[in-house]
Amino acid sequence: MPPAADPDTPLLPPDLPRSEAFTCARAAVDRLCLLYARGTRHLCDAFAGALAGDIPPRRVRALYPEIRLTTTTHAAIDSRLSFGHVSYPGTYAATITRPDLFRAYLEQQIGLLLDNHGVPVTIGLSDTPIPVHFAVAGEAALDVPQEGAAAFTLRDVFDVPDLASTNDDIVNGTWQPEPGGARPLAPFTAQRVDYSLARLSHYTATDPGHFQNYVLFTNYQFYVAEFEAFARQALATPESGYTAFVAPGNAAITTADAALPVPAQLPQMPAYHLKRADGQGITLVNIGVGPSNAKTATDHIAVLRPHAWVMVGHCAGLRNSQSLGDFVLAHAYLREDRVLDADLPAWVPIPALAEIQIALQEAVAEETQLEGFDLKRVMRTGTVASVDNRNWELREHAGPVQRLSQSRAIALDMESATIAANGFRFRVPYGTLLCVSDKPLQGELKLPGMASEFYKSQVARHLMIGIRAMESLRRMPLERIHSRKLRSFEETAFL
Protein backbone atom coordinates (compact mmCIF):
# COMPACT_ATOMS: atom_id res chain seq x y z
CA MET A 1 0.00 0.00 0.00
CA PRO A 2 1.48 3.39 -0.96
CA PRO A 3 2.20 5.80 1.90
CA ALA A 4 -0.51 8.33 2.73
CA ALA A 5 -0.11 11.72 1.13
CA ASP A 6 1.33 14.43 3.32
CA PRO A 7 -1.49 16.99 3.81
CA ASP A 8 1.10 19.77 3.83
CA THR A 9 2.43 18.78 0.40
CA PRO A 10 0.55 20.51 -2.44
CA LEU A 11 -1.14 18.36 -5.04
CA LEU A 12 0.76 19.13 -8.26
CA PRO A 13 -0.07 18.25 -11.87
CA PRO A 14 1.05 14.73 -12.78
CA ASP A 15 3.37 13.71 -15.62
CA LEU A 16 5.14 17.02 -16.21
CA PRO A 17 8.48 16.84 -18.01
CA ARG A 18 11.62 17.91 -16.18
CA SER A 19 13.53 21.09 -17.04
CA GLU A 20 15.20 20.76 -20.42
CA ALA A 21 17.62 22.81 -22.50
CA PHE A 22 16.50 23.94 -25.95
CA THR A 23 18.38 25.37 -28.92
CA CYS A 24 15.22 25.83 -31.04
CA ALA A 25 12.91 28.70 -30.20
CA ARG A 26 9.81 26.99 -31.56
CA ALA A 27 10.46 23.83 -29.55
CA ALA A 28 11.09 25.94 -26.44
CA VAL A 29 7.72 27.67 -26.82
CA ASP A 30 6.03 24.33 -27.47
CA ARG A 31 7.32 23.16 -24.08
CA LEU A 32 6.11 26.37 -22.41
CA CYS A 33 2.67 25.76 -23.89
CA LEU A 34 2.65 22.15 -22.67
CA LEU A 35 3.64 23.07 -19.10
CA TYR A 36 1.15 25.92 -18.91
CA ALA A 37 -1.74 23.94 -20.42
CA ARG A 38 -1.27 20.98 -18.09
CA GLY A 39 -0.89 23.22 -15.07
CA THR A 40 -4.03 25.25 -15.73
CA ARG A 41 -6.00 22.11 -16.66
CA HIS A 42 -5.01 20.62 -13.32
CA LEU A 43 -6.32 23.72 -11.51
CA CYS A 44 -9.51 23.97 -13.55
CA ASP A 45 -10.42 20.31 -13.01
CA ALA A 46 -9.77 20.50 -9.29
CA PHE A 47 -11.67 23.78 -8.98
CA ALA A 48 -14.68 22.45 -10.88
CA GLY A 49 -14.68 19.41 -8.62
CA ALA A 50 -14.47 21.56 -5.49
CA LEU A 51 -17.45 23.65 -6.61
CA ALA A 52 -19.39 20.42 -7.13
CA GLY A 53 -18.59 19.28 -3.59
CA ASP A 54 -15.48 17.16 -4.17
CA ILE A 55 -13.18 19.34 -2.05
CA PRO A 56 -9.50 18.30 -2.28
CA PRO A 57 -7.98 17.13 1.03
CA ARG A 58 -4.90 19.33 0.49
CA ARG A 59 -3.81 22.39 -1.42
CA VAL A 60 -3.97 22.12 -5.21
CA ARG A 61 -1.14 23.91 -6.95
CA ALA A 62 0.32 24.51 -10.41
CA LEU A 63 3.42 26.54 -11.17
CA TYR A 64 4.08 29.01 -13.94
CA PRO A 65 6.59 27.79 -16.54
CA GLU A 66 9.91 29.59 -16.73
CA ILE A 67 12.58 30.50 -19.27
CA ARG A 68 16.12 30.48 -17.90
CA LEU A 69 19.38 31.52 -19.58
CA THR A 70 22.91 31.27 -18.19
CA THR A 71 25.90 32.87 -19.88
CA THR A 72 29.47 32.96 -18.55
CA THR A 73 31.26 35.29 -20.93
CA HIS A 74 31.89 39.02 -20.98
CA ALA A 75 32.37 38.88 -24.76
CA ALA A 76 30.60 41.77 -26.48
CA ILE A 77 27.45 40.91 -28.41
CA ASP A 78 27.62 42.10 -31.99
CA SER A 79 24.02 43.20 -32.19
CA ARG A 80 22.56 46.40 -33.51
CA LEU A 81 19.38 45.64 -31.65
CA SER A 82 18.62 47.28 -28.33
CA PHE A 83 17.09 44.00 -27.15
CA GLY A 84 17.62 40.26 -27.58
CA HIS A 85 20.74 39.96 -25.41
CA VAL A 86 21.84 40.30 -21.79
CA SER A 87 24.48 42.75 -20.63
CA TYR A 88 26.60 40.67 -18.25
CA PRO A 89 27.43 37.05 -17.46
CA GLY A 90 25.01 35.40 -15.09
CA THR A 91 21.68 33.65 -14.88
CA TYR A 92 18.51 35.31 -16.13
CA ALA A 93 14.93 34.06 -15.83
CA ALA A 94 11.33 34.98 -16.62
CA THR A 95 8.07 33.38 -15.56
CA ILE A 96 5.65 32.96 -18.46
CA THR A 97 1.88 32.95 -18.76
CA ARG A 98 -0.38 32.41 -21.78
CA PRO A 99 2.40 31.21 -24.10
CA ASP A 100 -0.33 30.50 -26.66
CA LEU A 101 -1.21 34.21 -26.75
CA PHE A 102 2.42 35.34 -26.80
CA ARG A 103 3.82 32.64 -29.11
CA ALA A 104 5.11 34.94 -31.87
CA TYR A 105 6.67 37.30 -29.33
CA LEU A 106 8.30 34.48 -27.36
CA GLU A 107 9.69 32.74 -30.44
CA GLN A 108 11.17 36.03 -31.61
CA GLN A 109 12.75 36.93 -28.26
CA ILE A 110 14.05 33.42 -27.51
CA GLY A 111 15.42 33.16 -31.05
CA LEU A 112 17.43 36.34 -30.55
CA LEU A 113 18.87 35.03 -27.28
CA LEU A 114 19.94 31.79 -28.96
CA ASP A 115 21.52 33.63 -31.88
CA ASN A 116 23.29 36.26 -29.79
CA HIS A 117 24.63 34.12 -26.96
CA GLY A 118 25.08 30.70 -28.53
CA VAL A 119 23.84 28.90 -25.41
CA PRO A 120 20.57 27.05 -24.92
CA VAL A 121 17.61 28.28 -22.92
CA THR A 122 16.21 26.01 -20.23
CA ILE A 123 12.45 25.53 -20.01
CA GLY A 124 10.98 24.21 -16.78
CA LEU A 125 8.76 25.13 -13.88
CA SER A 126 9.29 28.19 -11.73
CA ASP A 127 8.53 28.35 -8.01
CA THR A 128 5.66 30.85 -8.57
CA PRO A 129 2.15 29.40 -8.16
CA ILE A 130 -0.53 30.12 -10.77
CA PRO A 131 -3.50 31.80 -8.99
CA VAL A 132 -6.71 29.90 -9.60
CA HIS A 133 -8.47 33.13 -10.69
CA PHE A 134 -6.15 33.42 -13.69
CA ALA A 135 -6.17 29.70 -14.48
CA VAL A 136 -9.95 29.57 -14.90
CA ALA A 137 -10.21 32.91 -16.74
CA GLY A 138 -10.59 31.16 -20.10
CA GLU A 139 -13.20 28.70 -18.86
CA ALA A 140 -16.67 30.08 -19.56
CA ALA A 141 -18.30 27.56 -17.21
CA LEU A 142 -16.11 28.45 -14.23
CA ASP A 143 -16.32 31.57 -12.10
CA VAL A 144 -14.47 32.16 -8.86
CA PRO A 145 -17.16 32.89 -6.25
CA GLN A 146 -16.88 35.73 -3.80
CA GLU A 147 -15.28 34.93 -0.47
CA GLY A 148 -17.72 32.99 1.70
CA ALA A 149 -19.98 31.99 -1.20
CA ALA A 150 -18.36 28.58 -1.73
CA ALA A 151 -18.58 25.56 0.56
CA PHE A 152 -14.84 25.76 1.21
CA THR A 153 -12.33 28.48 2.04
CA LEU A 154 -10.75 29.31 -1.31
CA ARG A 155 -7.34 30.35 0.02
CA ASP A 156 -7.00 27.12 1.99
CA VAL A 157 -7.22 25.01 -1.15
CA PHE A 158 -6.03 27.14 -4.06
CA ASP A 159 -3.44 29.86 -4.60
CA VAL A 160 -4.86 33.35 -5.13
CA PRO A 161 -3.28 36.49 -6.64
CA ASP A 162 -0.40 37.81 -4.56
CA LEU A 163 -0.23 41.58 -4.88
CA ALA A 164 2.90 41.66 -2.71
CA SER A 165 4.83 40.22 -5.65
CA THR A 166 2.76 41.72 -8.48
CA ASN A 167 4.38 45.05 -9.22
CA ASP A 168 6.30 47.15 -11.73
CA ASP A 169 9.69 47.01 -10.02
CA ILE A 170 11.45 45.73 -13.16
CA VAL A 171 10.18 48.41 -15.56
CA ASN A 172 10.46 51.11 -12.90
CA GLY A 173 14.13 50.29 -12.38
CA THR A 174 13.66 49.60 -8.66
CA TRP A 175 14.00 45.79 -8.75
CA GLN A 176 16.57 44.45 -6.31
CA PRO A 177 18.23 41.03 -6.82
CA GLU A 178 18.14 38.41 -4.13
CA PRO A 179 21.52 36.89 -3.18
CA GLY A 180 22.26 34.16 -5.70
CA GLY A 181 18.99 34.77 -7.53
CA ALA A 182 18.44 35.12 -11.26
CA ARG A 183 18.15 38.52 -12.89
CA PRO A 184 14.98 39.36 -14.87
CA LEU A 185 14.85 38.32 -18.50
CA ALA A 186 11.54 40.06 -19.30
CA PRO A 187 9.98 43.38 -18.22
CA PHE A 188 6.98 41.74 -16.52
CA THR A 189 6.47 38.64 -14.40
CA ALA A 190 3.79 36.12 -15.32
CA GLN A 191 1.47 37.15 -12.49
CA ARG A 192 1.78 40.83 -13.46
CA VAL A 193 0.84 39.90 -17.03
CA ASP A 194 -2.13 37.82 -15.91
CA TYR A 195 -3.33 40.67 -13.71
CA SER A 196 -3.37 43.02 -16.70
CA LEU A 197 -4.93 40.52 -19.09
CA ALA A 198 -7.85 40.17 -16.67
CA ARG A 199 -8.18 43.95 -16.31
CA LEU A 200 -8.07 44.47 -20.08
CA SER A 201 -11.01 42.14 -20.59
CA HIS A 202 -12.93 44.01 -17.92
CA TYR A 203 -12.20 47.57 -19.01
CA THR A 204 -12.38 47.13 -22.80
CA ALA A 205 -14.89 44.25 -23.11
CA THR A 206 -12.66 42.55 -25.65
CA ASP A 207 -10.36 39.59 -25.27
CA PRO A 208 -6.65 40.54 -25.05
CA GLY A 209 -5.98 38.23 -27.99
CA HIS A 210 -7.69 40.72 -30.28
CA PHE A 211 -5.30 43.58 -29.49
CA GLN A 212 -3.02 44.55 -32.35
CA ASN A 213 0.57 45.81 -32.25
CA TYR A 214 -0.30 49.41 -33.15
CA VAL A 215 -2.61 51.21 -30.74
CA LEU A 216 -4.45 54.51 -31.13
CA PHE A 217 -5.92 56.22 -28.08
CA THR A 218 -8.66 58.79 -28.27
CA ASN A 219 -10.73 60.71 -25.74
CA TYR A 220 -13.96 60.92 -27.75
CA GLN A 221 -16.45 58.31 -28.92
CA PHE A 222 -16.88 60.26 -32.19
CA TYR A 223 -13.72 58.60 -33.49
CA VAL A 224 -15.19 55.13 -33.18
CA ALA A 225 -17.77 55.54 -35.96
CA GLU A 226 -15.05 56.76 -38.31
CA PHE A 227 -12.79 53.86 -37.35
CA GLU A 228 -15.57 51.38 -38.10
CA ALA A 229 -16.23 53.07 -41.45
CA PHE A 230 -12.54 52.79 -42.34
CA ALA A 231 -12.48 49.17 -41.18
CA ARG A 232 -15.40 48.26 -43.43
CA GLN A 233 -13.66 49.90 -46.38
CA ALA A 234 -10.51 47.95 -45.60
CA LEU A 235 -12.40 44.64 -45.34
CA ALA A 236 -13.88 45.34 -48.77
CA THR A 237 -10.33 45.60 -50.14
CA PRO A 238 -8.51 42.25 -49.80
CA GLU A 239 -5.13 43.78 -50.68
CA SER A 240 -5.38 45.95 -47.54
CA GLY A 241 -4.24 42.96 -45.49
CA TYR A 242 -6.91 43.48 -42.83
CA THR A 243 -8.95 40.40 -42.02
CA ALA A 244 -11.48 41.28 -39.30
CA PHE A 245 -12.96 44.06 -37.20
CA VAL A 246 -13.74 43.35 -33.55
CA ALA A 247 -15.88 45.51 -31.26
CA PRO A 248 -16.74 45.34 -27.53
CA GLY A 249 -18.33 42.06 -26.55
CA ASN A 250 -15.87 40.36 -28.95
CA ALA A 251 -18.34 40.95 -31.79
CA ALA A 252 -16.44 40.35 -35.02
CA ILE A 253 -17.08 40.90 -38.71
CA THR A 254 -14.94 39.78 -41.64
CA THR A 255 -16.87 41.36 -44.51
CA ALA A 256 -17.64 44.98 -45.22
CA ASP A 257 -21.43 44.70 -45.12
CA ALA A 258 -21.81 42.38 -42.11
CA ALA A 259 -23.99 43.49 -39.22
CA LEU A 260 -22.15 44.38 -36.03
CA PRO A 261 -24.12 43.92 -32.80
CA VAL A 262 -24.25 46.97 -30.56
CA PRO A 263 -23.76 46.14 -26.88
CA ALA A 264 -26.49 47.27 -24.50
CA GLN A 265 -23.86 49.02 -22.41
CA LEU A 266 -20.36 50.10 -23.35
CA PRO A 267 -17.46 49.30 -21.02
CA GLN A 268 -15.39 52.00 -19.36
CA MET A 269 -12.80 52.02 -22.14
CA PRO A 270 -14.22 50.36 -25.25
CA ALA A 271 -11.65 48.91 -27.64
CA TYR A 272 -11.98 48.24 -31.37
CA HIS A 273 -9.55 46.10 -33.33
CA LEU A 274 -8.84 46.18 -37.06
CA LYS A 275 -6.97 42.91 -37.31
CA ARG A 276 -4.31 41.44 -39.55
CA ALA A 277 -3.38 37.77 -39.53
CA ASP A 278 0.08 38.60 -38.18
CA GLY A 279 -1.22 40.82 -35.37
CA GLN A 280 0.18 43.96 -37.03
CA GLY A 281 -3.17 45.68 -37.35
CA ILE A 282 -4.55 48.70 -35.47
CA THR A 283 -6.44 48.88 -32.18
CA LEU A 284 -8.42 51.99 -31.20
CA VAL A 285 -9.22 52.52 -27.52
CA ASN A 286 -11.55 55.25 -26.34
CA ILE A 287 -10.03 55.96 -22.94
CA GLY A 288 -12.44 58.78 -22.18
CA VAL A 289 -11.32 61.87 -20.31
CA GLY A 290 -8.63 62.15 -17.68
CA PRO A 291 -5.13 60.98 -16.76
CA SER A 292 -6.38 58.19 -14.49
CA ASN A 293 -8.05 56.41 -17.40
CA ALA A 294 -4.99 57.02 -19.57
CA LYS A 295 -2.74 55.42 -16.97
CA THR A 296 -5.10 52.49 -16.40
CA ALA A 297 -5.30 51.66 -20.10
CA THR A 298 -1.58 51.91 -20.77
CA ASP A 299 -0.62 50.07 -17.56
CA HIS A 300 -2.44 47.02 -18.87
CA ILE A 301 -1.92 47.24 -22.64
CA ALA A 302 1.83 47.47 -21.99
CA VAL A 303 2.05 43.76 -21.09
CA LEU A 304 1.02 42.93 -24.67
CA ARG A 305 4.28 44.60 -25.82
CA PRO A 306 2.83 46.70 -28.68
CA HIS A 307 5.22 48.30 -31.15
CA ALA A 308 3.72 51.80 -30.84
CA TRP A 309 0.91 53.75 -29.27
CA VAL A 310 -0.27 57.23 -30.26
CA MET A 311 -2.79 59.66 -28.79
CA VAL A 312 -5.18 61.20 -31.33
CA GLY A 313 -7.50 63.26 -29.18
CA HIS A 314 -8.80 66.79 -28.78
CA CYS A 315 -7.10 69.60 -26.97
CA ALA A 316 -7.41 73.24 -26.01
CA GLY A 317 -5.32 75.49 -28.23
CA LEU A 318 -3.38 78.01 -26.13
CA ARG A 319 -2.15 80.39 -28.84
CA ASN A 320 -4.18 83.10 -30.51
CA SER A 321 -2.56 82.16 -33.82
CA GLN A 322 -4.17 78.71 -33.73
CA SER A 323 -7.55 77.93 -35.27
CA LEU A 324 -10.14 75.33 -34.42
CA GLY A 325 -9.28 72.17 -36.31
CA ASP A 326 -5.52 72.80 -36.34
CA PHE A 327 -3.26 69.90 -35.43
CA VAL A 328 -0.70 69.81 -32.63
CA LEU A 329 2.30 67.49 -32.86
CA ALA A 330 3.75 67.16 -29.37
CA HIS A 331 7.51 67.29 -29.08
CA ALA A 332 7.55 67.84 -25.30
CA TYR A 333 5.19 67.43 -22.37
CA LEU A 334 4.40 69.52 -19.32
CA ARG A 335 3.39 66.83 -16.83
CA GLU A 336 0.80 68.18 -14.42
CA ASP A 337 -1.31 65.02 -14.59
CA ARG A 338 0.37 63.71 -11.38
CA VAL A 339 -0.82 60.10 -11.71
CA LEU A 340 2.63 58.74 -12.59
CA ASP A 341 4.76 60.76 -10.20
CA ALA A 342 5.33 57.78 -7.88
CA ASP A 343 6.44 55.53 -10.76
CA LEU A 344 8.20 58.04 -13.00
CA PRO A 345 9.23 61.27 -11.23
CA ALA A 346 8.23 64.49 -12.96
CA TRP A 347 11.89 65.46 -13.35
CA VAL A 348 12.41 62.61 -15.86
CA PRO A 349 12.33 64.09 -19.37
CA ILE A 350 10.00 62.43 -21.87
CA PRO A 351 11.76 62.83 -25.23
CA ALA A 352 10.08 63.02 -28.59
CA LEU A 353 10.84 59.94 -30.69
CA ALA A 354 11.97 60.86 -34.17
CA GLU A 355 10.51 57.76 -35.80
CA ILE A 356 7.03 58.52 -34.47
CA GLN A 357 7.29 62.25 -35.09
CA ILE A 358 8.26 61.77 -38.73
CA ALA A 359 5.50 59.22 -39.31
CA LEU A 360 2.89 61.59 -37.87
CA GLN A 361 4.16 64.65 -39.75
CA GLU A 362 4.27 62.76 -43.04
CA ALA A 363 0.75 61.46 -42.44
CA VAL A 364 -0.52 65.02 -41.87
CA ALA A 365 1.18 66.15 -45.07
CA GLU A 366 -0.30 63.25 -47.04
CA GLU A 367 -3.82 63.77 -45.71
CA THR A 368 -3.86 67.57 -46.07
CA GLN A 369 -1.83 67.69 -49.30
CA LEU A 370 0.39 70.35 -47.73
CA GLU A 371 4.12 70.19 -47.24
CA GLY A 372 7.08 72.23 -46.09
CA PHE A 373 6.30 75.70 -44.80
CA ASP A 374 2.68 75.40 -45.94
CA LEU A 375 2.14 72.60 -43.41
CA LYS A 376 2.40 75.21 -40.65
CA ARG A 377 -0.99 76.53 -41.75
CA VAL A 378 -2.67 73.52 -40.13
CA MET A 379 -0.12 72.02 -37.72
CA ARG A 380 2.03 73.34 -34.91
CA THR A 381 4.82 71.45 -33.17
CA GLY A 382 5.45 72.21 -29.51
CA THR A 383 4.86 71.42 -25.86
CA VAL A 384 1.59 69.83 -24.77
CA ALA A 385 0.51 70.35 -21.16
CA SER A 386 -1.55 67.64 -19.50
CA VAL A 387 -3.46 68.49 -16.32
CA ASP A 388 -5.64 66.58 -13.86
CA ASN A 389 -8.38 69.21 -13.60
CA ARG A 390 -10.92 69.33 -16.43
CA ASN A 391 -12.14 72.74 -15.29
CA TRP A 392 -8.72 74.33 -15.05
CA GLU A 393 -10.11 77.45 -16.77
CA LEU A 394 -12.08 78.27 -13.64
CA ARG A 395 -8.96 78.54 -11.51
CA GLU A 396 -7.30 81.87 -10.79
CA HIS A 397 -5.39 82.44 -14.01
CA ALA A 398 -2.15 84.05 -12.87
CA GLY A 399 -0.49 80.84 -11.72
CA PRO A 400 -1.64 78.27 -14.31
CA VAL A 401 -1.45 80.56 -17.30
CA GLN A 402 1.98 81.81 -16.30
CA ARG A 403 3.30 78.23 -16.08
CA LEU A 404 1.78 77.39 -19.44
CA SER A 405 3.47 80.41 -20.99
CA GLN A 406 6.84 79.70 -19.36
CA SER A 407 6.71 76.11 -20.64
CA ARG A 408 6.00 77.38 -24.18
CA ALA A 409 2.95 75.10 -24.24
CA ILE A 410 0.79 75.36 -27.33
CA ALA A 411 -1.97 72.95 -26.28
CA LEU A 412 -3.54 71.45 -23.19
CA ASP A 413 -5.34 68.18 -22.55
CA MET A 414 -5.67 65.59 -19.78
CA GLU A 415 -4.22 62.41 -21.31
CA SER A 416 -1.28 62.92 -23.69
CA ALA A 417 1.53 63.34 -21.16
CA THR A 418 0.31 60.30 -19.24
CA ILE A 419 0.30 58.13 -22.34
CA ALA A 420 3.72 59.37 -23.44
CA ALA A 421 5.23 58.99 -19.95
CA ASN A 422 3.88 55.47 -19.59
CA GLY A 423 5.22 54.66 -23.05
CA PHE A 424 8.63 55.86 -21.87
CA ARG A 425 8.30 53.86 -18.63
CA PHE A 426 7.22 50.66 -20.37
CA ARG A 427 9.58 51.04 -23.38
CA VAL A 428 6.66 51.32 -25.82
CA PRO A 429 7.30 53.87 -28.62
CA TYR A 430 4.79 56.72 -28.23
CA GLY A 431 3.57 59.91 -29.85
CA THR A 432 0.81 62.52 -29.77
CA LEU A 433 -1.15 64.27 -32.51
CA LEU A 434 -3.99 66.41 -31.15
CA CYS A 435 -6.67 68.50 -32.78
CA VAL A 436 -7.64 71.91 -31.43
CA SER A 437 -11.31 71.83 -30.43
CA ASP A 438 -11.48 75.02 -28.35
CA LYS A 439 -9.44 78.08 -27.33
CA PRO A 440 -10.55 78.93 -23.80
CA LEU A 441 -7.93 81.64 -23.22
CA GLN A 442 -9.33 83.47 -26.23
CA GLY A 443 -12.98 82.95 -25.24
CA GLU A 444 -13.69 80.17 -27.76
CA LEU A 445 -15.18 77.58 -25.41
CA LYS A 446 -16.29 74.10 -26.37
CA LEU A 447 -20.04 74.64 -26.59
CA PRO A 448 -22.52 72.08 -27.99
CA GLY A 449 -23.28 73.75 -31.32
CA MET A 450 -19.67 74.62 -32.02
CA ALA A 451 -18.49 71.17 -31.07
CA SER A 452 -20.95 69.38 -33.35
CA GLU A 453 -19.82 71.32 -36.41
CA PHE A 454 -16.19 70.82 -35.51
CA TYR A 455 -16.61 67.07 -35.08
CA LYS A 456 -18.32 66.69 -38.45
CA SER A 457 -15.50 68.37 -40.33
CA GLN A 458 -12.39 67.17 -38.50
CA VAL A 459 -12.80 63.77 -36.86
CA ALA A 460 -12.51 61.70 -40.04
CA ARG A 461 -9.44 63.59 -41.20
CA HIS A 462 -7.73 63.36 -37.82
CA LEU A 463 -8.34 59.63 -37.46
CA MET A 464 -7.12 58.97 -40.98
CA ILE A 465 -3.85 60.69 -40.14
CA GLY A 466 -3.42 58.40 -37.15
CA ILE A 467 -4.13 55.34 -39.28
CA ARG A 468 -1.68 56.44 -41.98
CA ALA A 469 1.01 56.98 -39.36
CA MET A 470 0.46 53.53 -37.87
CA GLU A 471 0.63 51.89 -41.28
CA SER A 472 3.90 53.73 -41.91
CA LEU A 473 5.32 52.52 -38.60
CA ARG A 474 4.27 48.96 -39.43
CA ARG A 475 6.55 49.05 -42.47
CA MET A 476 9.49 50.16 -40.32
CA PRO A 477 12.10 47.58 -39.26
CA LEU A 478 11.62 46.51 -35.66
CA GLU A 479 15.14 47.49 -34.66
CA ARG A 480 14.52 51.01 -35.86
CA ILE A 481 11.31 51.71 -33.97
CA HIS A 482 12.51 49.94 -30.79
CA SER A 483 15.68 51.97 -30.51
CA ARG A 484 18.04 52.52 -27.58
CA LYS A 485 16.34 55.82 -26.74
CA LEU A 486 13.90 53.93 -24.52
CA ARG A 487 16.46 51.64 -22.91
CA SER A 488 18.31 52.30 -19.65
CA PHE A 489 21.79 51.27 -18.45
CA GLU A 490 20.82 47.66 -17.77
CA GLU A 491 17.76 46.34 -19.56
CA THR A 492 15.90 43.07 -19.83
CA ALA A 493 16.73 41.07 -22.93
CA PHE A 494 13.09 40.80 -23.92
CA LEU A 495 11.36 43.81 -25.45
Side-chain angles (χ1 to χ4, degrees), residues 194-229:
D194 267 337
Y195 170 79
S196 281
L197 295 181
R199 288 296 178 93
L200 274 180
S201 294
H202 170 72
Y203 284 120
T204 70
T206 55
D207 188 275
H210 292 308
F211 275 78
Q212 300 294 286
N213 271 326
Y214 298 88
V215 182
L216 291 172
F217 295 106
T218 187
N219 49 12
Y220 280 96
Q221 184 69 13
F222 296 92
Y223 285 76
V224 172
E226 294 298 336
F227 191 55
E228 181 181 337

Side-chain angles (χ1 to χ4, degrees), residues 236-448:
T237 312
E239 55 268 26
S240 72
Y242 295 108
T243 58
F245 180 69
V246 178
N250 295 314
I253 60 172
T254 56
T255 58
D257 55 355
L260 190 62
V262 178
Q265 185 175 356
L266 286 175
Q268 184 173 340
M269 290 180 250
Y272 304 81
H273 315 277
L274 182 53
K275 300 178 67 173
R276 293 171 63 95
D278 57 2
Q280 306 300 305
I282 301 171
T283 287
L284 175 73
V285 185
N286 177 14
I287 57 175
V289 177
S292 180
N293 276 6
K295 180 182 184 297
T296 297
T298 48
D299 276 352
H300 301 314
I301 293 173
V303 306
L304 300 174
R305 309 315 294 145
H307 294 321
W309 62 39
V310 169
M311 177 68 184
V312 285
H314 293 162
C315 67
L318 299 178
R319 304 296 180 91
N320 193 47
S321 57
Q322 291 171 298
S323 301
L324 299 186
D326 282 359
F327 298 114
V328 173
L329 178 60
H331 74 178
Y333 300 90
L334 176 61
R335 291 175 54 198
E336 296 201 345
D337 51 318
R338 297 185 174 89
V339 296
L340 279 170
D341 290 359
D343 293 303
L344 190 72
W347 53 259
V348 176
I350 309 300
L353 304 181
E355 297 79 10
I356 307 288
Q357 299 295 98
I358 291 170
L360 286 169
Q361 180 169 312
E362 289 179 346
V364 174
E366 186 175 358
E367 186 65 22
T368 62
Q369 293 297 296
L370 297 171
E371 58 184 33
F373 190 67
D374 286 339
L375 197 58
K376 292 181 179 291
R377 294 180 189 170
V378 296
M379 186 180 77
R380 295 283 298 275
T381 301
T383 297
V384 168
S386 290
V387 299
D388 60 357
N389 177 10
R390 176 61 188 87
N391 298 314
W392 65 275
E393 304 100 324
L394 303 181
R395 295 277 308 276
E396 185 273 318
H397 276 198
V401 174
Q402 182 179 11
R403 288 199 307 277
L404 291 172
S405 178
Q406 289 174 325
S407 71
R408 310 300 191 266
I410 62 172
L412 180 145
D413 76 349
M414 298 184 68
E415 301 86 25
S416 292
T418 311
I419 289 170
N422 242 4
F424 181 86
R425 182 164 76 105
F426 291 130
R427 287 73 164 171
V428 176
Y430 53 85
T432 301
L433 184 76
L434 302 176
C435 193
V436 175
S437 60
D438 60 331
K439 295 170 58 181
L441 297 183
Q442 287 76 37
E444 294 192 64
L445 302 179
K446 190 181 293 183
L447 300 175

Side-chain angles (χ1 to χ4, degrees), residues 23 33 37 64-65 67 82-83 88 130 143 163-164 225 286 329 371 374 398 402 427 490 494:
T23 56
C33 289
Y64 283 113
I67 304 171
S82 63
F83 54 93
Y88 307 103
I130 303 176
D143 287 310
L163 290 182
N286 177 14
L329 178 60
E371 58 184 33
D374 286 339
Q402 182 179 11
R427 287 73 164 171
E490 187 175 346
F494 284 15

Side-chain angles (χ1 to χ4, degrees), residues 36-68:
Y36 181 78
R38 288 189 182 176
T40 53
R41 185 74 267 150
H42 172 68
L43 291 175
C44 288
D45 290 345
F47 187 68
L51 291 178
D54 184 14
I55 302 171
R58 52 196 172 111
R59 178 172 292 278
V60 179
R61 173 167 288 169
L63 302 172
Y64 283 113
E66 176 189 73
I67 304 171
R68 190 168 284 260

